[in-house]
Amino acid sequence: MNEIQQDNVDKLYLQSLSVLYVEDEDEVRDQLYTYLKRRCRKVYTAANGKKGLEAYTKYQPDIVVTDILMPVMDGLQMAAYIQEISPRVPVVVTTAFEEPRYFHRAIELGVQQYVNKPVKLPVLEQALLKCARLLRAEAALKEIEERYKVLFKLSHIAISVADADQEQQSVVIKGSNVQKGLEGLLVDCNDAFLGLIDYQDIEELKDQELSIYSLMTDESAKKFNDLVQHELLVRGFSSEFELELLSKNKVKIPVIAQLILRYSESGEPIEIWGVMRDIRERRKAEESLRLAAKVFESSKDAIIISDKNNVIISVNQAFTEITGFSSQEAAGKNPNMLSSGRHDNGFYHLLWADLLTKGYWQGEIWNRRKNGETFLEWLSISTVYDNDQEVSHFIAIFSDISDMKSSEAHIEFLANYDPLTQLPNRRLFIDRLDQALKTAAREKTRLAVLFFDLDHFKTINDSLGHSIGDQMLIEVASRLSDCMREVDSVSRLSGDEFAAVITDISDIGDVIKVVNKIIEAIRGAFKINDYELHVTMSTGISVYPNDGENYEILLKNADTAMYCAKNNGRDSFEFFSASMSTRALERLSLEGSLRKAIENKELLIYYQPQIEVNTGKILGMEALLRWPHADLGMISPEKFIPLAEETGLIIPIGKWVLAEACRQNKAWQDQGLPAIPIAVNVSAVQFRQHNLMEIVQETLLTTGLKSRYLELELTEGLLMDCSEYNVTLLQDFRQLGVQISIDDFGTGYSSFSYLKRFPINKLKIDLSFCIGLPKDKDNASITSAIISLGHDLGMVVIAEGVEDEKQFNFLQAHQCDEIQGYLFSPPVLAAEIEQLLKKGKIKI
């Protein structure tokens, strides 16, 4: 800009300014007023210094033009007062005097221009233009400063200003002395910086006289100091670096900072400007990225990232482990490299249609590993969109669910099938029966429900063990299935109970043929391990719609008919009839009565003496359970003992019988009566409890009866299981002193090998062999053989059920040791036994 242009700018700016003109001569004041008014925005006048001061105070003009010598207050004195009010206001002095003392005072006051009187207007104009130029420059500077203040205060970037006085001080950082190049006392900061370190006001920081070093961690202070010394003081600014500030609550705040050094006019450093950006969110984002990368790599699910053209960009380690393809082998390929060929094009067309319209697809899919093996996976595919909502990537996540599917299938199988026999279980059978009933109702046809139960299976299971029993059940299931049509359903309901449904019956005779076929098939020998076993089956039949219209009633009625078949001799079948339902209810009633009898202690023990054959001496007695029913009279043990075993009531009953028999025997001995053993029957159910030894020991201890006066009677079938447990248990009884006898000997199995292993004291010939002696040649031969076998093995042999002298004479002639039966005494109550014991002998 040349001088003319500069003058024009100044003139234009002068027109925006106001002027105070102080002159005591009216004529001169009026003339210059007219001149000034044409060149300035506003002109104020005053006749002396005092009036001029009042006018300045009131109007605050931009420029003051004043004469020196004036009445009341001269111009320089007025200028001094004005300088106190506004130090930077330009003052132009007009004077006719050139005395040095006036110039010296004017210089001291900072007067900018002098114009001699008489005033030459061009000279005055130049003085005014210089004042305008000065004011314009100051205004521009002020505008810059205001703009800086706005930017400084309102900036979202944190800015701190610290004192840069150089003082070589030692500051302790992490246990070491570091020479601090600058003082660093905080002198200013913006709101962004205050917010960053959680302070409300700069004064709070100033009051604590905190340095910039105290607002950061020790490690950051060391880094800050190094940059000050090696970069800031060398070149006036630093490179960007990361540091951690400390908030008011000593929370670490990561920032990226850059330092700028501000110098004085003399070139000395005066301020350190720190410009900082909060990077907490960036740190979180970086951590999220690191976590995402870690999840990507450590995920047990395979992950494929492909571009918009479905070209694989990246896969994780799980992908390699599941498919066998490395990341290098997969990169650049299409995921269809895994295709198994088990899905047609229509499947993939629907997959992509969902993926592109919904942005997501998931489901089961068969794929192929690198080794050629196909596997089932659960696949989820998501579409990733860019900012323009265009497809940018696809992310596929899948897991190998082959094992899970196998587990699900196994669980489904266990929920619906019997794991031992592989037959449908009760749940599935009921479902199939219910469906068959709906079909029969719709098509007006009949169906039959068959309920099977193996006869005496419990004896085999208890005697030979569950392993043998399980193998027999498997074979029974196979034979049942072979006898049925494919359309019919066979089920194992529980234990040794099976069921079947025969649909679309045209003739009841067809059902009978099937049942007879089944009964005949079950009769065949079962060759299991070293055993050849035989078992029979009782079958109950109910027919829809005659015997019921829903599965609950039909099953219940078939069950009732099955029990009738058992009661009628087993190994047969029965169709349901109304009378059977009555018998089933009677059985339930009997069970309830038995439970009440146990609770009310209504059961009794009768005692039957055991007699030495040659002398008639009472050598022992057997405790026999009896149930006198209030309404039904004496109920036969053959009726309620099986019921007690089926319901588990035999456990508390057997424990009570053992305790009461031992107590009574000890009471007789305490009365001075002969001390003889008492025999107590132990059922297979009790024997399986595996705590029989503890019960016996506790009973003997409680009653005080010596162990040699207790005899346990076990069934022959129970001892067929020669397991180590059974052998050890009986040997422990022998060691305890308790005697063991085999009840109903000869009614069990043909193998007597167990007799050598078990410590048996006595064999009891079953009463069925005593019937008809001596005329019944078969029974006579069997009885004679049992007596010989027992004696050869060193055992005592006793015959039960002896009722007449012919039987007695035969047994005596064949050296049977002891006799038990009505010939000598029926089972009687304890009071009657006392009388017999007092006699000591019983004669025929």
Side-chain angles (χ1 to χ4, degrees):
M1 185 181 295
N2 56 36
E3 187 174 347
I4 296 174
Q5 290 173 327
Q6 181 68 50
D7 284 348
N8 290 335
V9 171
D10 293 339
K11 289 177 181 179
L12 187 61
Y13 188 72
L14 182 61
Q15 292 177 1
S16 66
L17 302 177
S18 60
V19 177
L20 172 61
Y21 178 42
V22 184
E23 173 62 55
D24 60 335
E25 294 183 24
D26 296 337
E27 184 178 352
V28 175
R29 186 174 66 249
D30 292 340
Q31 289 176 352
L32 283 182
Y33 171 79
T34 302
Y35 173 80
L36 292 171
K37 191 173 181 180
R38 289 199 300 269
R39 287 164 175 77
C40 301
R41 175 177 63 82
K42 187 69 176 178
V43 179
Y44 306 100
T45 59
N48 56 55
K50 183 179 179 182
K51 294 293 185 180
L53 183 59
E54 292 174 354
Y56 185 83
T57 302
K58 182 177 180 180
Y59 300 114
Q60 296 287 315
D62 299 307
I63 301 172
V64 177
V65 179
T66 183
D67 189 13
I68 294 179
L69 292 178
M70 289 181 292
V72 184
M73 180 186 292
D74 65 34
L76 293 179
Q77 188 177 3
M78 178 196 70
Y81 284 122
I82 289 174
Q83 288 288 317
E84 292 178 1
I85 298 171
S86 301
R88 303 186 69 84
V89 64
V91 178
V92 177
V93 176
T94 60
T95 181
F97 301 96
E98 295 184 357
E99 295 181 17
R101 60 189 179 93
Y102 293 119
F103 289 108
H104 290 158
R105 282 185 64 195
I107 291 171
E108 290 175 357
L109 292 174
V111 173
Q112 284 79 8
Q113 301 293 330
Y114 299 91
V115 178
N116 293 326
K117 285 185 176 181
V119 175
K120 294 181 180 178
L121 295 179
V123 175
L124 178 59
E125 183 179 35
Q126 285 302 313
L128 291 172
L129 291 176
K130 286 181 180 180
C131 290
R133 190 175 302 125
L134 177 63
L135 290 174
R136 184 163 62 85
E138 289 181 350
L141 180 60
K142 184 177 181 180
E143 183 180 355
I144 292 171
E145 288 178 348
E146 290 297 326
R147 188 178 298 125
Y148 148 73
K149 288 179 181 179
V150 171
L151 292 173
F152 180 78
K153 291 296 181 184
L154 299 182
S155 173
H156 294 298
I157 296 175
I159 303 172
S160 66
V161 181
D163 188 0
D165 287 348
Q166 287 183 292
E167 294 184 9
Q168 290 297 324
Q169 302 181 44
S170 294
V171 57
V172 177
I173 298 175
K174 284 191 177 177
S176 60
N177 289 336
V178 176
Q179 290 300 318
K180 192 169 61 174
L182 299 174
E183 174 65 18
L185 192 66
L186 197 67
V187 295
D188 199 3
C189 65
N190 64 355
D191 291 341
F193 184 81
L194 288 172
L196 194 62
I197 59 175
D198 204 23
Y199 281 85
Q200 299 297 320
D201 195 290
I202 181 65
E203 299 304 323
E204 189 177 358
L205 291 169
K206 289 181 178 179
D207 290 345
Q208 299 178 50
E209 297 185 349
L210 296 177
S211 73
I212 192 66
Y213 292 98
S214 65
L215 294 175
M216 60 185 74
T217 64
D218 287 347
E219 185 177 349
S220 294
K222 184 178 183 303
K223 183 189 293 186
F224 186 95
N225 192 65
D226 289 343
L227 286 168
V228 167
Q229 295 196 33
H230 298 107
E231 291 189 17
L232 189 65
L233 294 177
V234 173
R235 61 186 185 186
F237 63 92
S238 74
S239 55
E240 285 192 341
F241 64 99
E242 289 190 17
L243 63 83
E244 287 184 322
L245 296 176
L246 290 174
S247 73
K248 187 176 183 179
N249 296 321
K250 302 304 178 183
V251 176
K252 296 178 181 179
I253 301 154
V255 297
I256 286 183
Q258 184 174 22
L259 305 180
I260 302 169
L261 192 60
R262 182 166 172 259
Y263 297 93
S264 67
E265 293 181 359
S266 63
E268 294 294 323
I270 57 174
E271 290 177 347
I272 305 172
W273 283 53
V275 182
M276 306 171 197
R277 297 196 310 276
D278 185 356
I279 59 171
R280 282 178 290 186
E281 291 302 319
R282 194 184 82 179
R283 286 272 182 92
K284 289 180 183 178
E286 290 171 351
E287 181 61 26
S288 296
L289 287 173
R290 281 193 295 270
L291 181 60
K294 188 173 182 179
V295 169
F296 180 78
E297 279 306 319
S298 61
S299 172
K300 295 302 180 183
D301 291 336
I303 302 175
I304 302 174
I305 301 176
S306 58
D307 64 15
K308 63 181 180 180
N309 297 316
N310 205 26
V311 175
I312 296 175
I313 299 172
S314 179
V315 297
N316 66 347
Q317 181 61 32
F319 172 89
T320 300
E321 293 172 358
I322 293 174
T323 68
F325 289 100
S326 67
S327 57
Q328 293 81 4
E329 291 172 317
K333 304 288 181 58
N334 191 292
N336 62 17
M337 64 185 282
L338 303 174
S339 176
S340 66
R342 297 179 66 165
H343 302 285
D344 57 20
N345 290 335
F347 173 85
Y348 292 105
H349 177 76
L350 292 174
L351 185 156
W352 278 102
D354 277 357
L355 188 59
L356 296 177
T357 56
K358 301 176 182 177
Y360 186 77
W361 184 90
Q362 69 174 5
E364 294 179 1
I365 188 170
W366 285 93
N367 270 333
R368 189 180 302 277
R369 307 186 209 274
K370 184 179 179 180
N371 62 9
E373 176 188 356
T374 58
F375 67 99
L376 186 62
E377 68 181 47
W378 179 261
L379 173 63
S380 298
I381 311 175
S382 298
T383 306
V384 180
Y385 300 94
D386 59 21
N387 293 333
D388 297 326
Q389 292 302 302
E390 296 291 333
V391 175
S392 64
H393 296 86
F394 297 101
I395 299 176
I397 302 175
F398 65 86
S399 56
D400 184 348
I401 60 171
S402 303
D403 291 341
M404 184 185 74
K405 277 294 181 181
S406 297
S407 298
E408 286 180 357
H410 183 60
I411 292 170
E412 179 69 19
F413 177 83
L414 293 178
N416 294 286
Y417 289 86
D418 171 44
L420 178 65
T421 63
Q422 312 292 301
L423 291 178
N425 61 12
R426 176 182 289 271
R427 176 177 178 273
L428 181 57
F429 178 74
I430 288 175
D431 182 67
R432 290 183 176 179
L433 176 55
D434 193 46
Q435 294 300 320
L437 287 169
K438 291 177 181 176
T439 302
R442 186 171 58 252
E443 297 179 359
K444 308 296 183 183
T445 59
R446 293 186 296 174
L447 62 80
V449 175
L450 313 182
F451 201 107
F452 308 104
D453 187 270
L454 294 177
D455 301 325
H456 300 301
F457 173 75
K458 185 176 292 185
T459 303
I460 296 174
N461 212 29
D462 294 342
S463 303
L464 303 180
H466 292 288
S467 176
I468 299 296
D470 286 350
Q471 291 181 60
M472 175 170 276
L473 290 174
I474 292 170
E475 179 60 25
V476 167
S478 176
R479 295 184 187 185
L480 277 174
S481 299
D482 291 342
C483 294
M484 303 294 293
R485 300 176 301 179
E486 289 187 7
V487 295
D488 297 327
S489 181
V490 182
S491 165
R492 181 190 177 202
L493 300 182
S494 65
D496 60 345
E497 292 182 342
F498 296 81
V501 57
I502 302 176
T503 59
D504 196 17
I505 298 172
S506 57
D507 190 333
I508 293 298
D510 296 335
V511 177
I512 296 174
K513 289 179 183 178
V514 172
V515 173
N516 281 328
K517 184 179 178 183
I518 290 171
I519 291 174
E520 189 63 32
I522 300 301
R523 285 174 182 160
F526 290 83
K527 295 181 180 180
I528 301 173
N529 294 352
D530 296 330
Y531 298 101
E532 182 174 305
L533 305 174
H534 294 270
V535 73
T536 58
M537 177 175 279
S538 297
T539 306
I541 308 166
S542 62
V543 179
Y544 169 85
N546 307 63
D547 302 328
E549 296 186 352
N550 58 56
Y551 68 83
E552 294 101 331
I553 295 175
L554 286 168
L555 267 176
K556 178 176 71 69
N557 290 343
D559 184 28
T560 300
M562 182 274 295
Y563 274 105
C564 287
K566 280 190 178 294
N567 293 333
N568 291 337
R570 296 181 169 84
D571 191 26
S572 62
F573 67 87
E574 291 285 348
F575 280 90
F576 173 78
S577 65
S579 61
M580 293 180 183
S581 181
T582 302
R583 288 196 293 272
L585 291 174
E586 289 176 356
R587 184 177 181 276
L588 286 174
S589 176
L590 188 65
E591 180 184 339
S593 296
L594 181 57
R595 292 182 184 276
K596 187 177 294 185
I598 296 171
E599 293 175 6
N600 298 335
K601 299 181 180 180
E602 297 172 4
L603 299 178
L604 298 176
I605 298 179
Y606 278 55
Y607 300 91
Q608 189 172 34
Q610 297 173 336
I611 311 300
E612 187 178 29
V613 172
N614 293 326
T615 66
K617 183 180 179 180
I618 300 176
L619 298 180
M621 68 187 75
E622 181 180 5
L624 298 168
L625 186 63
R626 294 294 183 264
W627 179 15
H629 193 282
D631 299 320
L632 303 176
M634 192 67 74
I635 298 177
S636 170
E638 293 182 358
K639 188 171 184 179
F640 74 84
I641 293 296
L643 178 63
E645 290 181 333
E646 290 173 15
T647 58
L649 294 175
I650 196 66
I651 300 298
I653 291 174
K655 189 174 181 180
W656 174 78
V657 170
L658 178 66
E660 179 60 20
C662 290
R663 185 202 64 77
Q664 183 62 70
N665 197 8
K666 182 64 168 64
W668 285 327
Q669 293 178 19
D670 291 343
Q671 294 174 28
L673 297 174
I676 58 175
I678 188 164
V680 177
N681 289 279
V682 176
S683 78
V685 177
Q686 291 173 272
F687 200 78
R688 288 200 305 271
Q689 292 302 304
H690 283 202
N691 64 344
L692 184 59
M693 173 59 76
E694 289 80 358
I695 292 173
V696 170
Q697 287 175 325
E698 181 183 352
T699 301
L700 293 173
L701 182 64
T702 303
T703 62
L705 183 69
K706 292 182 179 179
S707 58
R708 65 176 177 270
Y709 297 120
L710 175 62
E711 179 182 310
L712 300 180
E713 286 195 5
L714 309 176
T715 63
E716 181 183 13
L718 190 150
L719 296 179
M720 287 299 294
D721 180 9
C722 295
S723 67
E724 287 303 317
Y725 172 78
N726 286 355
V727 174
T728 302
L729 179 61
L730 294 186
Q731 288 174 346
D732 289 344
F733 277 128
R734 166 65 69 86
Q735 188 173 359
L736 181 63
V738 174
Q739 299 184 54
I740 302 296
S741 65
I742 299 181
D743 194 15
D744 303 332
F745 186 78
T747 61
Y749 301 88
S750 58
S751 174
F752 298 136
S753 61
Y754 68 89
L755 291 175
K756 297 187 297 182
R757 298 198 61 192
F758 292 119
I760 300 167
N761 303 98
K762 185 184 292 187
L763 294 182
K764 179 177 278 192
I765 302 173
D766 186 65
L767 60 86
S768 62
F769 297 124
C770 294
I771 297 173
L773 288 177
K775 291 183 178 180
D776 190 323
K777 301 303 181 183
D778 290 336
N779 282 355
S781 299
I782 293 172
T783 301
S784 176
I786 292 173
I787 294 171
S788 299
L789 176 66
H791 288 164
D792 289 343
L793 293 174
M795 301 176 187
V796 174
V797 179
I798 182 173
E800 66 176 344
V802 178
E803 298 182 354
D804 59 44
E805 291 186 31
K806 292 179 181 180
Q807 294 172 328
F808 174 78
N809 292 335
F810 177 87
L811 293 167
Q812 186 180 41
H814 286 81
Q815 286 78 50
C816 183
D817 300 302
E818 297 176 11
I819 296 291
Q820 179 181 338
Y822 277 74
L823 178 62
F824 293 94
S825 174
V828 294
L829 291 170
E832 296 181 50
I833 283 290
E834 288 181 19
Q835 301 304 316
L836 293 175
L837 288 175
K838 287 177 182 179
K839 294 178 181 179
K841 292 183 179 181
I842 302 177
K843 294 183 179 181
I844 300 175

